[in-house]
Amino acid sequence: MEQAQVFSDFLTHKGLKSTIQRKLILETFLASRSHCSIEDLYLKLRKKHSKIGYATVHRTLKLLVECGIAIEQHFGDGHARYEPVRENSHHDHLVCRECGEIIEFEEPRIEQLQNQVAMAHNFTIISHRHELYGLCSGCAQK
Amino acid sequence: MEQAQVFSDFLTHKGLKSTIQRKLILETFLASRSHCSIEDLYLKLRKKHSKIGYATVHRTLKLLVECGIAIEQHFGDGHARYEPVRENSHHDHLVCRECGEIIEFEEPRIEQLQNQVAMAHNFTIISHRHELYGLCSGCAQK
DNA sequence: AGGGTTTTGATTATCATTATCGATTGATAA
DNA sequence: TTATCAATCGATAATGATAATCAAAACCCT
């Protein structure tokens, strides 16, 4: 099922309404580069629909997180970032401190070790975050 | 060299002054449970030195981070937490979403895989964060 | 001990996020 | 289609953590 349908069903199920703003925000979010901030999306949306409010973008992104279409990320610059959820594709991040580039990585062996660690502490994992901060290849050369 | 000396040398080197507040904050910080917030420390300090200001605690913790005595952690509840740095003992965290308990873990095999990931991207690691969020054994039973 | 500089503590500013509120819109039933 | 009414919008104010400001006090060096 495509995301627009998932969102629509989610809204109906919660007794919420489908509005042109919500549709537009979802559409713009999905068409954007990954890891965009609220500010990024807001500015892009203003070009199509100049009256849209910052609060509406904010509220709608929370809804997208709630219904599983987006996930919220924090990389330490004080701006929450949002990323579309892809099926069967968990990944973590390399974050360049210099240019801000964000590179995704997957390492199933790390995930497996994580599970071992949790098990050793009788801990039930709900989610995790794993980020490596440093310099990307371009910035390291300078 | 003990931490009080490290801090004192750091202050001298930077042309900063040793004050009773700074000494008291360091002392109280080192005596506290790990992962304490600014609020935690502030409240504890007020009992010994009722006039100390919130801003002073805040500023001094930043200094402790700068001179390598403390590290700052963020576990997603909006409160920065500070932890004394121990030599040769890097660790990461399990964070209970229910009771807030923070459990430390070390897994050299994960660190090794991290390095491999970074190398594959020509990425230079400066620091990293790795946190597993979920339920501790106590909270999972309920 | 004294003078110049830093620090303190109280307060205010800042920034991201969240709450509020009157006007407007969407969904449902007549 | 229209009426109804709750949900939503957009603007703005509130919030909360952190950072900046500034006069008074403390510190350090001579």
Side-chain angles (χ1 to χ4, degrees), chain B residues 17-20 55 58-59 62 78-80:
Chain B
K17 293 174 179 173
S18 279
T19 64
I20 53 173
H58 196 279
R59 284 183 289 229
K62 297 286 176 191
H79 296 267

Side-chain angles (χ1 to χ4, degrees), chain A residues 110-130:
Chain A
I110 291 179
E111 311 273 319
Q112 202 178 327
L113 287 167
Q114 268 183 190
N115 292 337
Q116 288 180 23
V117 166
M119 211 176 303
H121 290 84
N122 272 316
F123 189 91
T124 310
I125 298 179
I126 294 174
S127 66
H128 77 267
R129 38 180 306 172
H130 192 180

